Amino acid sequence: MSGTVNKVILIGHLGEEVKIHYFDAENCVGRFTLATHETFINKKTNEKTRLTEWHHIVVKNKTAENCEKYLSKGDLVHVEGKIRTREWQSENGSKTVVEIHAQEVTFLHTAKQNSEIKKTDSPDNESNKPGLPF
């Protein structure tokens, strides 16, 4: 195999609201942080430890607009994309950040989704009829 692969798959919770910036009428970029967690047992102390890793996510154009419209802090999402390193100069010197440039974002569980879903009990529901074993 002579090629290389730059692919990231993450499932995590938004750490902040999506911030979007428009360059012109058709192009925009959105940014948000995503938290992923790893739980393990510390062998020395035998305590359960939870390690959180924060990822900087970048979305573009229609994906950015959809993320801003439908996602909120704490929502669970699936992100697929590529790792990119960005460098710039600031007043304090050179800065570097590692970002995930998302190619796909799937909304798994959103607060806005929960507020729209209402549980209804229908009397015509088959599972409510007596005598049925299921």
Side-chain angles (χ1 to χ4, degrees):
M1 181 179 208
S2 62
T4 63
V5 176
N6 180 357
K7 183 168 184 154
V8 176
I9 300 173
L10 300 169
I11 296 177
H13 294 275
L14 265 72
E16 60 189 348
E17 300 297 322
V18 179
K19 297 173 189 140
I20 198 164
H21 174 74
Y22 286 90
F23 295 103
D24 52 42
E26 297 178 9
N27 295 302
C28 63
V29 64
R31 297 179 189 279
F32 59 92
T33 56
L34 189 74
T36 57
H37 308 288
E38 178 182 351
T39 304
F40 59 93
I41 303 294
N42 184 324
K43 292 183 179 182
K44 292 181 181 179
T45 63
N46 208 27
E47 292 180 0
K48 190 175 184 179
T49 304
R50 182 173 168 166
L51 178 65
T52 302
E53 190 71 40
W54 289 95
H55 311 276
H56 299 275
I57 310 297
V58 177
V59 286
K60 295 180 181 176
N61 300 323
K62 191 66 176 172
T63 303
E65 292 173 335
N66 286 336
C67 287
E68 180 189 41
K69 183 176 181 180
Y70 296 108
L71 293 177
S72 300
K73 181 179 178 179
D75 289 346
L76 184 67
V77 295
H78 171 270
V79 175
E80 289 191 35
K82 297 180 179 190
I83 297 174
R84 295 279 191 253
T85 303
R86 184 168 53 97
E87 297 179 10
W88 72 96
Q89 292 294 324
S90 74
E91 296 172 357
N92 300 331
S94 180
K95 301 281 185 176
T96 304
V97 66
V98 176
E99 299 172 322
I100 307 301
H101 283 236
Q103 296 166 316
E104 282 186 47
V105 178
T106 304
F107 307 161
L108 300 177
H109 188 268
T110 65
K112 292 176 184 174
Q113 177 186 50
N114 282 348
S115 66
E116 294 172 3
I117 296 174
K118 295 181 181 176
K119 184 177 179 182
T120 59
D121 291 326
S122 170
D124 296 329
N125 188 343
E126 292 294 321
S127 64
N128 290 337
K129 292 184 179 178
L132 293 178
F134 50 90

